[in-house]
Amino acid sequence: MLFFHTSKIVEFLYLWGMLKKVLVTGGAGYIGSHTVVELFNAGYEPVLLDDFRNSNESVIDGLSNILGDRPELLKHDVCNTDYLRDYIRKHEVCGIIHFAAYKAVGESVENPLRYYQNNVEGLVSILKMVSENPEIPFVFSSSCTVYGEPQGQKEVSEKTPKTIPTSPYGFTKWLGEKIIDDLFFSQKKLRLMSLRYFNPIGAHSSTQIGELPIGKPNNLLPFITQTAAGLHEKLTIFGDSYPTIDGTCVRDYIHVVDLAEAHVKALDYLINAKDGCHEIVNIGTGNGSSVLQVVNTFEKVNDIKLNYEFGPNRPGDVIEIYANVDYAKKLLGWSAKKTINDAVKDAWNWEKSIRSIK
Ligand code: UD1
């Protein structure tokens, strides 16, 4: 019967609880691991595909503590198309969420081929599976980096024109969306969604999983928490004379658990979609916060004094951007619930737990 795989049969099996495996590439990473938890909470069976090149195997222990059981783990490179093909042939997979990618902007400038190979080849490899199994819905991790520096209005909607990002990392996301567009053009029955993330921060409130940067962090929140934990002498705030509320850059910081929930909504939507689509959706809070506001909030919420200084602008930084989230609400019935206070509290509790700080 299953040889005649149609989206109707998949939907039927899903509704009867017989078909719930969701392949999560990069499932041991920061956003991936939080999404694994939310998928599980929603009744799906997340299957992690991760070769731990950019994540730590201890994440699986943290996930097991939250889920009460070890999740299924496929320790393979997403570029291993033959392995993926064999796995999907033997298992009933009702969705694929593709996180596995590198994300350090500076590193991508220094080593572009590493980024093009992993991010583009990885995407093409997993999309081959979608193309060969058109009943499987697919969710892609895109980024607000595709907007570049917004001209005029700082609140960007999905209709705001994209610009070609300056970093190879950013370009892999821009290109990723284009590759998915082109695939959809050739196979109109595919159900696809690109989620444009703004700035994910925070950690699971259990302190079992959180952000685990390898080496010195590039992103703001892990640098803040590591400085508060004594790993760095001080935080450097890159730039204090931008045309913003207080001279520092403005971003839309979203709690990673809210972001994870958005993936569940995205998958639910695609599973129930009657027609093919490539939907593009902003996933943010709709609010902008400056770097200084984040630092002040971290200090206030956690009752900690953070050592920081102002330094030169970071090359390539966007000055100010935040999401218009109307479409996420309309299409997915999703909006962020947690506040930036929740996020900085959870991030610090996570840092304390991994450093054994009381
Ligand atoms: C960048 C990408 C984004 C990507 C993310 C993943 C761009 C424009 N944005 O986000 O698409 O998803 O990386 O890593 O390419 N800051 C400091 N001191 C620090 C660290 C950061 O002041 O030590 C400031 C930055 O200058 C920036 C803000 O904090 O204003 C946020 O920076 P970061 O966390 O690195 O994220 P983005 O650069 O916004």
Side-chain angles (χ1 to χ4, degrees), residues 103-105 143-145 167 169 197-199 218-221 223 235-238 249-251 253 291 314 316-318:
K103 63 152 201 167
V105 174
S143 165
C144 68
T145 194
S167 75
Y169 156 76
Y197 311 155
F198 283 68
N199 286 56
N218 296 292
N219 297 116
L220 179 62
L221 240 291
F223 209 101
L235 165 79
T236 301
I237 295 180
F238 301 132
C249 292
V250 170
R251 298 284 185 278
Y253 294 94
V291 177
R314 186 170 70 175
D317 255 344
V318 164

Side-chain angles (χ1 to χ4, degrees), residues 7 10-11 14-15 19-22 35 38-45 94-97 135-139 191-193 195 260-275 277 279 328 331-334:
S7 63
V10 172
E11 195 182 312
Y14 168 73
L15 286 173
L19 187 63
K20 292 189 291 191
K21 272 187 198 229
V22 178
T35 301
E38 297 312 315
L39 285 168
F40 179 85
N41 289 344
Y44 290 103
E45 189 186 329
C94 79
I96 297 176
I97 305 184
E135 72 285 355
I136 301 181
F138 178 79
V139 180
R191 291 165 297 163
L192 313 161
M193 196 177 299
L195 299 182
E261 279 175 10
H263 289 81
V264 177
K265 296 282 189 186
L267 194 61
D268 289 346
Y269 174 86
L270 291 177
I271 284 174
N272 291 310
K274 299 275 174 288
D275 300 317
C277 59
E279 291 286 355
L331 190 79
L332 307 177
W334 172 92

Side-chain angles (χ1 to χ4, degrees), residues 10-297:
V10 172
E11 195 182 312
F12 175 81
L13 293 171
Y14 168 73
L15 286 173
W16 287 94
M18 293 158 70
L19 187 63
K20 292 189 291 191
K21 272 187 198 229
V22 178
L23 190 61
V24 185
T25 78
Y30 175 45
I31 307 171
S33 58
H34 289 81
T35 301
V36 163
V37 173
E38 297 312 315
L39 285 168
F40 179 85
N41 289 344
Y44 290 103
E45 189 186 329
V47 178
L48 289 70
L49 181 100
D50 208 302
D51 63 3
F52 298 102
R53 77 178 61 189
N54 209 20
S55 56
N56 194 303
E57 296 206 36
S58 65
V59 172
I60 305 302
D61 297 330
L63 281 172
S64 307
N65 291 339
I66 298 173
L67 308 182
D69 202 0
R70 285 189 93 70
E72 186 176 344
L73 172 66
L74 315 175
K75 206 169 162 181
H76 284 274
D77 183 346
V78 68
C79 295
N80 189 344
T81 316
D82 290 340
Y83 174 79
L84 290 172
R85 183 174 289 118
D86 190 53
Y87 183 87
I88 290 171
R89 192 170 54 79
K90 290 181 180 149
H91 299 84
E92 296 302 333
V93 172
C94 79
I96 297 176
I97 305 184
H98 179 55
F99 294 103
Y102 294 138
K103 63 152 201 167
V105 174
E107 185 190 54
S108 77
V109 175
E110 281 156 30
N111 198 343
L113 296 185
R114 185 173 145 85
Y115 273 69
Y116 288 121
Q117 176 152 38
N118 191 40
N119 294 11
V120 179
E121 196 182 321
L123 175 64
V124 170
S125 170
I126 197 81
L127 282 177
K128 278 185 189 162
M129 299 307 100
V130 178
S131 172
E132 291 171 19
N133 300 274
E135 72 285 355
I136 301 181
F138 178 79
V139 180
F140 173 59
S141 299
S142 190
S143 165
C144 68
T145 194
V146 300
Y147 294 114
E149 180 75 59
Q151 304 302 312
Q153 178 60 265
K154 304 300 177 189
E155 181 189 87
V156 290
S157 82
E158 295 80 357
K159 292 200 172 74
T160 302
K162 296 201 282 182
T163 51
I164 294 195
T166 46
S167 75
Y169 156 76
F171 190 61
T172 64
K173 295 297 173 188
W174 189 100
L175 187 59
E177 289 190 3
K178 172 78 174 114
I179 291 169
I180 297 170
D181 267 343
D182 290 346
L183 178 63
F184 178 58
F185 188 78
S186 73
Q187 285 181 265
K188 284 277 171 21
K189 288 202 168 135
L190 298 181
R191 291 165 297 163
L192 313 161
M193 196 177 299
S194 295
L195 299 182
R196 289 181 180 161
Y197 311 155
F198 283 68
N199 286 56
I201 58 169
H204 196 262
S205 59
S206 64
T207 70
Q208 293 294 327
I209 52 170
E211 195 163 5
L212 266 181
I214 291 179
K216 202 170 175 184
N218 296 292
N219 297 116
L220 179 62
L221 240 291
F223 209 101
I224 289 178
T225 56
Q226 289 194 2
T227 304
L231 275 75
H232 311 289
E233 192 201 331
K234 57 185 142 190
L235 165 79
T236 301
I237 295 180
F238 301 132
D240 65 351
S241 51
Y242 286 108
T244 60
I245 181 169
D246 56 21
T248 66
C249 292
V250 170
R251 298 284 185 278
D252 186 337
Y253 294 94
I254 173 169
H255 197 295
V256 66
V257 171
D258 276 332
L259 175 57
E261 279 175 10
H263 289 81
V264 177
K265 296 282 189 186
L267 194 61
D268 289 346
Y269 174 86
L270 291 177
I271 284 174
N272 291 310
K274 299 275 174 288
D275 300 317
C277 59
H278 176 202
E279 291 286 355
I280 294 185
V281 188
N282 279 348
I283 303 293
T285 65
N287 303 309
S289 303
S290 74
V291 177
L292 206 49
Q293 286 171 331
V294 175
V295 169
N296 292 338
T297 307

